[in-house]
Amino acid sequence: MRILSINIGKPKTVEVNGERLVTGIYKTPVAGSVAVGKQNVAGDGQADLIHHGGEDKAICAYPSEHFAYWEQKYARPFPPSSFGENWTLSGLTEENACLGDIYAAGTALVQVSQPRQPCSKLALRHRLPDLPKAVCQTGKSGFYFRVLKEGIVEPDAPLILIERGAGELSIAYMNHIYYHERDNIAALEQIAHHPALSTSWREAFLHRLTNQRKR
């Protein structure tokens, strides 16, 4: 498992369908070492600080293994950074990344905190209106890391599993429950009360639990 590419970019204004939009989804691969902090990757930035960035979502990661699927589906290239990710990964996908997993990367320690939820900015970047829905349906979402120990990371750095998260709840499993098995109360309970879950996803799962119990 390794970090194939480190991608950063500050928010910029783009014109989409005649409207001006500020977004941080455009990232560029970098060649040298990059510091990772509690809030984000050095040199990177987000336009929407409510839904992106912060301690629970300091690093957005996406598996390079999925690019071939999207290239076949849409008949266009999807190079590293195509999904606005900070780290393009090799060897670590939603199937084997589990909530709460702790990895060493360079001199940093990072922890899996939640799946990535695609937003409209992804669709606008690629001019593909159905892309966010396709990401949800396939589970090829990517995921977020929080930074437990700040440090320096270089492209091609190995990701070394230090500790497996409690319950071994994979990101793939979480996506399945969130999008396809929405009334599975036992699974919702298990995920909602996991100590490593991000605040925003915990609130979403607890809200869904409340609604299910009212039925």
Side-chain angles (χ1 to χ4, degrees), residues 96-172:
N96 55 355
C98 293
L99 180 62
D101 283 358
I102 298 174
Y103 291 89
T107 61
L109 283 179
V110 298
Q111 182 181 46
V112 178
S113 60
Q114 69 162 75
R116 188 261 185 92
Q117 288 178 281
C119 67
S120 60
K121 306 286 181 65
L122 182 63
L124 293 173
R125 172 180 173 172
H126 293 286
R127 304 295 197 271
L128 295 171
D130 67 323
L131 181 55
K133 183 178 180 180
V135 168
C136 297
Q137 289 177 335
T138 61
K140 301 180 188 300
S141 64
F143 42 91
Y144 284 101
F145 291 108
R146 65 170 57 89
V147 177
L148 300 181
K149 177 190 172 188
E150 297 179 334
I152 304 296
V153 185
E154 295 183 350
D156 209 39
L159 277 171
I160 302 169
L161 180 63
I162 302 299
E163 181 180 322
R164 180 64 86 185
E168 297 191 13
L169 302 180
S170 72
I171 294 295

Side-chain angles (χ1 to χ4, degrees), residues 167-193:
E168 297 191 13
L169 302 180
S170 72
I171 294 295
Y173 175 74
M174 293 175 65
N175 278 330
H176 177 75
I177 297 301
Y178 191 84
Y179 295 111
H180 304 291
E181 212 173 313
R182 302 170 63 89
D183 59 351
N184 187 330
I185 291 180
L188 293 173
E189 284 268 15
Q190 185 183 23
I191 295 170
H193 294 100

Side-chain angles (χ1 to χ4, degrees), residues 19-77:
E19 295 185 9
R20 293 171 69 82
L21 176 72
V22 180
T23 175
I25 199 169
Y26 295 90
K27 312 291 185 188
T28 302
V30 296
S33 59
V34 179
V36 294
K38 295 286 186 178
Q39 296 289 327
N40 57 17
V41 176
D44 192 51
Q46 298 81 33
D48 180 0
L49 295 178
I50 295 176
H51 298 101
H52 303 286
E55 290 196 4
D56 283 339
K57 295 177 282 188
I59 300 169
C60 180
Y62 199 78
S64 62
E65 287 81 0
H66 299 332
F67 290 147
Y69 173 86
W70 299 119
E71 288 172 352
Q72 182 176 23
K73 179 176 176 64
Y74 292 111
R76 65 173 64 177

